[in-house]
Structure formats: structure tokens, C-alpha cells
Amino acid sequence: MKVVDQIKEPIIAEMELFEKKFYESMTSKVALLNRITHYIVNRKGKQMRPMFVFLTSKLINNGEVNERTYRGASVIELIHTATLVHDDVVDESNKRRGFFSINALWKNKIAVLVGDYLLSKGLLLSIDNGDFDLLKIISVAVREMSEGELLQIEKARRLDITEAVYYEIIRQKTATLIAACCSLGACSVKPDSEEVEVFRKFGEYCGMAFQIKDDLFDYGDAAIGKPTGIDIKEQKMTLPLIYVLNNCSKKEKRWVINSIKNHNKDKKRVKEVINFVKDNGGLDYAITKMLEFKDQALAILETYPDSDYKNSLQLMVNYVVDRKI
């Protein structure tokens, strides 16, 4: 059995019902929108985010979820899908999970409007049902994700990023959404409990580990959705690179920065930078940090009694750092 299927096992019924509710939450009177949302739903990814919502709810609430949990999962998936649609426009990307992106098939203008539509649908789903506590969690996540992306763009221009700033970027850009999934799951069943914050932290640690793993793919030959060296080509400062820049000679630092600024389209030069990072301990350092975040997430789960939901969340945390794609 695949790891993702093992993780899903204790929430299989919830995930099936969720998919139905999620599709219903997207419907519109505009035929074009329905064609596009149908295309999106049929090319769904692993659905890690709703899985985090349901597993967290069931872990802390004796295996029970409620309608708020389903709405929370739908809102998160709507917002996440909206950000992916917009990201593909920003990145001028024609593929998403091996299929054509929305902007590739229907052009940028329609893709931007579809992203806006999904975002508004997510917000209205919370408002129409009076889930203002869930709406606050989601709205904070959207704000932070936008700030994280812009902070990364600002820093990429100057290539002056420190490790602390890097953590702030990935916390906002990636970890915030996974943190929102877990705190939504907790908040949907125990609205005013301390567990809402506990599981926000849990999700944040998972998200940090997830993003560092993504950064590491840039230095490997794994068959994921982005080719090796693309972060260097796009002048994105990742943890292996930051570590090496902070621990090499001034001459080497000048060469690396010059390579990224002025020779980032040169395949041979990019390969040289990748090898330099590998040879100077950049990957080993990033792996160590990734495992620290993983252990912090697992430590939170240890405070809960054993259950299928706890086991699935532990599998999920390990999957984040062990995955090949």
C-alpha cells in the first residue's frame, strides 16, 4: 500500500464526502467557470491539506468531525487552488502536476479571474455559515503567503538573504498554509481550546520541513515537477546556498553571487554552482535543519495517546521529508 493511501485510511469516508462537497462549493452559473473548475477537480493532487484538517480534528475529538470541519477543509482547498492558479500566471508556467495549467489553456486573464473566483468562494463559504473564527485563520494565512512571496522577490533582487530571513520567507510562503490546515481542523471541533495554537505550531513545523525538502530537490535528479537547478536559474536563495555563502571565502562568495546574477542561464555554470554547494556541506546542513523541524512536529504528537489518527499524522510528517516527489 502506498504511504499516501496508508495516511488516508482512517479518514477515507471523510475524504470521499469532502470531494463531493468541495466540487459543490465551486459551482457557478457561468458555464466557462464550471468547465474550468471541472478541469481543476479532475486533476487534483495528493490533497495533503484536507488530510491535515481531518486527521487533526479526529485526533483531538475522539475520532469525530462535524460540518465545520468539512467547510474548513473545502475553504483551505479553494484558497490553495486559487494560489496555485495565480502562481502559474506569475511564474509563466504552462504545466501543473504534468497537465496543462489554466493559463496555458485559457490564457492569463481568465486564469487570474478564476483564481479570484475561487478565493471569493472560499471566503463566502465561511461567511455564509458564520464560521468567523475559521475565516480569521484563513485570512491571516492568505496575508502571510502574499507577504512571503513579495519578501522573497525583494530579497532575490539583492541576493543578501540571511538564514533568519530565509526561515521567515518559507514560514510565510509555505508553512503558513499547512499551519492553517491544522489549526482549522482543531478549531472546527474545539473552537476556543489551546489546541488551536498547538496544532498551528505543528503544521508550521511540517511546512518548514516540507519547503526545505523542496529546496533539496533542486540539487537532485528526482523526477519532480521542476527541473534541477531551476531555483538558481530563478535567483531563489535556498537554504543549501545560504549556508554555503555564509561559510565560504570572500572570493568564492563573489564567484557564486556573480554566477547567480549574471550566468544563471548558463547550464554549465549552474551545474558548477550546484556541485560547489554539494561539496561545501550545503545539502547536509539543510537536511539536518529539515530533520530538526520534523522532530519538533513529532514531539507535539507524542503528547497524544496512540490512535489511527496519530499514526497517520506521524506517517504524514515522515512522508514530508522522505518523499521522492
Side-chain angles (χ1 to χ4, degrees), residues 35-239:
R35 272 207 305 280
I36 297 171
T37 53
H38 183 73
Y39 179 82
I40 290 168
V41 167
N42 285 331
R43 282 149 192 84
K44 62 183 183 289
K46 291 183 282 289
Q47 296 187 311
M48 279 176 67
R49 286 153 193 86
M51 283 155 65
F52 270 121
V53 176
F54 290 117
L55 287 169
T56 304
S57 296
K58 294 186 92 169
L59 176 74
I60 69 166
N61 198 41
N62 304 317
E64 296 291 322
V65 299
N66 57 30
E67 279 303 313
R68 273 163 54 88
T69 317
Y70 284 103
R71 288 197 296 270
S74 292
V75 173
I76 274 288
E77 199 66 351
L78 283 164
I79 304 283
H80 175 57
T81 308
T83 61
L84 294 185
V85 172
H86 282 165
D87 279 353
D88 287 339
V89 175
V90 171
D91 297 338
E92 298 174 352
S93 175
N94 291 323
K95 286 281 180 83
R96 164 71 62 184
R97 297 178 185 134
F99 296 98
F100 285 113
S101 57
I102 304 300
N103 47 301
L105 292 173
W106 285 281
K107 301 290 176 259
N108 284 351
K109 185 175 182 178
I110 288 175
V112 170
L113 292 169
V114 168
D116 291 346
Y117 172 77
L118 295 173
L119 188 65
S120 66
K121 273 292 208 182
L123 300 178
L124 283 168
L125 186 58
S126 294
I127 291 165
D128 291 346
N129 291 282
D131 299 330
F132 298 110
D133 50 353
L134 305 186
L135 183 61
K136 183 172 183 187
I137 292 169
I138 290 148
S139 301
V140 168
V142 173
R143 184 197 69 201
E144 297 235 300
M145 285 157 69
S146 308
E147 284 179 350
E149 286 287 355
L150 287 164
L151 180 59
Q152 184 172 46
I153 291 166
E154 179 193 1
K155 293 297 177 183
R157 284 180 181 155
R158 306 208 327 250
L159 298 183
D160 63 345
I161 186 167
T162 62
E163 200 172 319
V165 170
Y166 165 82
Y167 290 133
E168 185 55 19
I169 289 170
I170 68 165
R171 186 191 67 74
Q172 290 186 316
K173 204 178 73 127
T174 304
T176 294
L177 193 63
I178 298 176
C181 295
C182 299
S183 56
L184 269 182
C187 191
S188 70
V189 291
K190 293 190 175 178
D192 299 312
S193 68
E194 285 176 11
E195 283 164 311
V196 177
E197 174 57 20
V198 168
F199 278 91
R200 188 196 67 76
K201 286 303 288 181
F202 167 77
E204 190 175 284
Y205 294 141
C206 288
M208 300 292 275
F210 183 93
Q211 185 56 53
I212 296 172
K213 178 69 172 182
D214 252 18
D215 287 357
L216 287 164
F217 280 135
D218 204 48
Y219 294 88
D221 302 316
I224 59 155
K226 62 177 189 179
T228 307
I230 200 160
D231 286 337
I232 292 169
K233 291 184 189 103
E234 292 178 358
Q235 301 188 2
K236 279 184 186 161
M237 299 291 279
T238 56
L239 187 55

